[in-house]
Amino acid sequence: MDLDPDDQDIYELKVSKYQNEDTRRAIIRLEQAAYSYMQRDIASHGAFAILYGRRSKHYIKKPEILLGRSTEDLIVDIDLGREKGGSKISRRQAIVRLEDDGSFRMKNLGKYPISVNEKEVDPGQSLVLKPDCLIEIRGMIFIFETNETRVKEYLNSIEKVDRDG
């Protein structure tokens, strides 16, 4: 089973307000199981990360992807135009890029701010996406989660090519 007891500290902080020990343990186990399920789901698709919302999952399988609204003239990697309220999305809304250090950076290419964990990212600005962060784009809410194992494998393969190349 891939539920790591060492991860328990992360979840204890979230549930420390619950005083009943059995309730606290149950909540921690549920959160660990949900996290484990998400990691297996991302890994089963060979993705670096996932962007998921209420009605959709978008697997990030390339080191750089374009989020936006596809048109006849422009194809995007993740088409948010098909989501409810997607007509508000810019054709080129944002770029999400895997950096050399294994972090992900999002740059807002749209006309309006994007909110990441309630922090505004103005047009032209960028910031590092942390695992499990909440992203709001024009009223649409997504959670961003990474697959650290896949990211490390990819970065190691690039280093090997650079060394051998």
Side-chain angles (χ1 to χ4, degrees):
M1 188 178 227
D2 55 358
L3 297 178
D4 186 2
D6 295 333
D7 290 340
Q8 190 164 343
D9 297 341
I10 297 167
Y11 302 106
E12 280 190 24
L13 294 174
K14 294 179 184 178
V15 296
S16 62
K17 64 183 175 185
Y18 297 100
Q19 298 301 316
N20 183 306
E21 189 63 32
D22 290 337
T23 304
R24 289 178 62 197
R25 283 190 187 135
I27 291 170
I28 289 169
R29 296 298 290 169
L30 286 170
E31 288 181 346
Q32 287 175 330
Y35 176 79
S36 178
Y37 166 78
M38 184 58 61
Q39 288 299 310
R40 284 192 307 270
D41 185 39
I42 299 169
S44 71
H45 286 85
F48 297 124
I50 187 171
L51 187 68
Y52 65 95
R54 284 190 180 153
R55 297 176 185 89
S56 63
K57 290 182 187 177
H58 306 280
Y59 296 95
I60 299 172
K61 298 180 180 183
K62 300 188 312 188
E64 181 175 301
I65 55 117
L66 176 63
L67 292 157
R69 181 172 41 88
S70 285
T71 63
E72 288 181 14
D73 301 332
L74 178 69
I75 304 297
V76 296
D77 298 304
I78 296 179
D79 184 4
L80 300 178
R82 298 187 309 189
E83 301 279 333
K84 184 177 181 180
S87 60
K88 299 178 187 176
I89 299 294
S90 296
R91 287 180 295 247
R92 294 174 44 85
Q93 183 66 57
I95 288 180
V96 176
R97 178 179 295 130
L98 174 59
E99 301 289 327
D100 292 339
D101 65 357
S103 66
F104 286 87
R105 180 168 289 278
M106 175 186 271
K107 182 173 184 180
N108 183 357
L109 304 174
K111 297 177 188 173
Y112 299 97
I114 294 172
S115 175
V116 178
N117 288 341
E118 299 183 5
K119 181 180 179 189
E120 295 266 317
V121 182
D122 291 322
Q125 300 290 323
S126 67
L127 65 73
V128 172
L129 296 175
K130 304 280 187 205
D132 204 30
C133 68
L134 186 68
I135 301 171
E136 184 177 348
I137 304 172
R138 304 286 286 151
M140 293 190 291
I141 298 172
F142 300 93
I143 294 177
F144 177 80
E145 187 63 64
T146 61
N147 177 354
E148 296 295 324
T149 304
R150 176 70 181 105
V151 168
K152 287 177 186 174
E153 288 171 358
Y154 174 76
L155 293 175
N156 288 339
S157 72
I158 289 176
E159 283 180 16
K160 185 176 185 209
V161 169
D162 288 345
R163 279 193 317 255
D164 297 344

